[in-house]
Amino acid sequence: MAEDLVLGLGGTVDYEIRWDAEVLSTLAREYGIRLDELTTTTPIIDERSLVVTVLAFLATGGGGERFVLSSEIVQRFAGHFDVEVTLGGTGVRAGIALDRIGVPTVQHLVSIDDNVRRLLPRSMRVVSSATRDTLDPHLIVQYPEGTTVRLLDAEVTAPSSNRIILANDAPNREMAIAADLGDALADASAFLVSGFNTMQDADLLARRLDDLVGAMQRLPATALVYYEDAGFYRRELSATVRERLLERIDVYGMNEDELQEYLGRPVDLLSPDDVVAALAEAHRLIPARALVVHTKYWAIAVGPRASAHRAGLESAVRTAATRYRLGDACTAADLDETARLPRHAGGATVVAEVERSLPAAGVAAYVVDTPHPTTIGLGDTFVGGFLAAVPSAARVATAAALERALDAAATMAR
């Protein structure tokens, strides 16, 4: 019987800095950074352009991932702050969340070093393509709502809390697929695919997709495939991944930042009409069986199989909210405490309207009041919470497998 949760495709070593607005203010003034320079799209070729990018995200309350010319730039910037070394990557953070509630996983890694060996949960079994130790840290900048940074000619204040990831990670950019991944997938009840967003070579991506599709031939027909978009460094490459994998993906996930990047416009996340229009447009662009968008107000699945994943959405939102208030220290008992918190009223209104207007299922987020929120890894923890519901939902996986078979039969008939 297939039981393993297999999570991939790449893990990272993260440098989580302790936010210090005074340090950013000092750097901004030393580099002579002005308000009209702030942009999230400038190439990050040195520490100055990294500071510009961080401040541009902060000014809008936005989050995202950006490529940095070298790991030395990351390390230089991190050196200005107190730093905690942690493990990241969607699969690894999802696995950590599952470990905290007693669910073991199998993790596909593309890099390894002593930090990974020391910090990886003991419950996690590893399949790896790494041939030597490497360290290319990901800089994680988590800023709180209301924080203010002084520039040369102005001040910028964060309208909300969020996080930014900045890195130059060769192993994840190359994303080599382990030769024994297929063996691990043979016993999988679910498979998480994420990490292709960091790749930048189209030809190499095509080869990696060949390797992945070959390994996925070993997946049981009932296994659920969850794909997390995670924000592509080269947005056009996301279409390449969908062309190869969409027919096997059961759940296609993304957060609010990635949704808005696909649409090319901002979305008012508390406007029912705007969200309905945005989700309908996103599903036309990405016609997944269940397209899941997770935000700080709500999590909604749209598509023909959306209603089958309500339990996964509920588990995901509860797990992410627990991390938001407690960080990595959360336990299964803490999930029960989170379940007693109130729901976001505006989020509930949006969910109700979307469910009236589209083939959709959604849940409102919890209202969490904490002076020290954890915004790092919330999307990854959401995914872990979603997958936690999979082993107890064999009927969902079976139905998904049946639908794929019907789709294939209909295609052959045409």
Side-chain angles (χ1 to χ4, degrees):
M1 179 179 178
E3 294 183 348
D4 289 339
L5 299 178
V6 181
L7 314 178
L9 294 164
T12 65
V13 174
D14 291 349
Y15 284 3
E16 298 184 18
I17 67 168
R18 180 177 297 173
W19 179 256
D20 190 326
E22 284 302 317
V23 172
L24 264 294
S25 295
T26 298
L27 288 170
R29 291 196 302 273
E30 288 179 351
Y31 282 123
I33 297 171
R34 297 178 179 274
L35 185 62
D36 61 4
E37 293 184 72
L38 301 189
T39 173
T40 61
T41 58
T42 187
I44 303 176
I45 60 173
D46 53 22
E47 187 177 52
R48 186 184 193 279
S49 51
L50 190 153
V51 175
V52 166
T53 301
V54 169
L55 294 177
F57 275 112
L58 182 149
T60 63
E65 298 191 29
R66 291 295 182 268
F67 176 74
V68 182
L69 183 63
S70 72
S71 291
E72 287 74 21
I73 297 169
V74 166
Q75 292 170 338
R76 179 180 177 185
F77 180 82
H80 298 291
F81 301 85
D82 291 335
V83 175
E84 181 181 4
V85 179
T86 63
L87 298 184
T90 297
V92 171
R93 284 203 186 275
I96 290 171
L98 288 162
D99 173 76
R100 297 296 185 266
I101 60 176
V103 179
T105 58
V106 179
Q107 179 68 49
H108 180 281
L109 298 178
V110 296
S111 58
I112 192 77
D113 82 323
D114 286 341
N115 292 294
V116 178
R117 296 184 185 96
R118 173 172 55 89
L119 297 172
L120 207 66
R122 297 289 180 235
S123 68
M124 189 179 289
R125 182 162 61 88
V126 172
V127 175
S128 178
S129 62
T131 58
R132 60 187 177 86
D133 280 21
T134 56
L135 174 61
D136 293 285
H138 288 220
L139 175 67
I140 312 295
V141 181
Q142 176 180 234
Y143 60 84
E145 180 179 351
T147 189
T148 297
V149 176
R150 296 183 300 279
L151 311 182
L152 196 64
D153 62 341
E155 293 183 343
V156 291
T157 299
S160 60
S161 59
N162 215 319
R163 66 94 182 98
I164 312 149
I165 302 173
L166 305 112
N168 183 322
D169 187 338
N172 275 279
R173 202 161 57 247
E174 295 167 5
M175 199 57 70
I177 306 300
D180 51 348
L181 175 60
D183 294 337
L185 293 178
D187 294 318
S189 62
F191 179 36
L192 167 64
V193 180
S194 188
F196 283 131
N197 61 302
T198 63
M199 296 192 69
Q200 299 181 51
D201 184 317
D203 291 337
L204 182 59
L205 174 61
R207 295 198 296 274
R208 297 305 188 230
L209 286 166
D210 286 342
D211 294 339
L212 181 65
V213 169
M216 290 175 66
Q217 299 301 315
R218 301 285 303 281
L219 268 173
T222 56
L224 180 140
V225 176
Y226 190 116
Y227 176 83
E228 184 72 1
D229 185 272
F232 274 71
Y233 291 7
R234 288 183 57 189
R235 176 57 61 188
E236 69 273 16
L237 295 184
S238 65
T240 302
V241 177
R242 288 196 301 277
E243 287 170 6
R244 295 298 306 278
L245 299 182
L246 191 59
E247 68 178 21
R248 186 60 181 88
I249 292 170
D250 299 297
V251 180
Y252 191 114
M254 66 178 67
N255 66 20
E256 61 219 61
D257 297 317
E258 291 137 19
L259 170 69
Q260 291 169 115
E261 284 188 19
Y262 272 114
L263 300 182
R265 62 177 175 84
V267 176
D268 183 346
L269 299 175
L270 290 177
S271 166
D273 291 342
D274 201 12
V275 173
V276 168
L279 293 179
E281 182 180 349
H283 193 248
R284 286 193 294 271
L285 291 171
I286 305 171
R289 294 179 180 86
L291 175 65
V292 169
V293 178
H294 44 94
T295 80
K296 58 187 173 182
Y297 303 120
W298 44 260
I300 297 174
V302 295
R305 293 292 301 160
S307 62
H309 300 292
R310 190 178 299 276
L313 292 172
E314 175 56 43
S315 175
V317 166
R318 187 178 303 178
T319 306
T322 305
R323 176 175 176 79
Y324 181 82
R325 66 187 186 88
L326 297 173
D328 275 336
C330 59
T331 66
D334 295 319
L335 295 176
D336 295 334
E337 185 176 342
T338 297
R340 292 190 287 271
L341 295 174
R343 300 285 185 149
H344 194 284
T349 299
V350 168
V351 167
E353 182 58 31
V354 171
E355 290 184 337
R356 278 193 294 268
S357 305
L358 301 172
V363 296
Y366 290 93
V367 177
V368 181
D369 185 13
T370 175
H372 303 293
T374 299
T375 58
I376 298 169
L378 291 183
D380 306 334
T381 303
F382 177 96
V383 174
F386 190 102
L387 295 176
V390 170
S392 61
R395 287 177 297 174
V396 171
T398 302
L402 176 60
E403 182 177 24
R404 286 194 292 270
L406 293 173
D407 286 347
T411 299
M412 292 179 64
R414 289 196 296 269

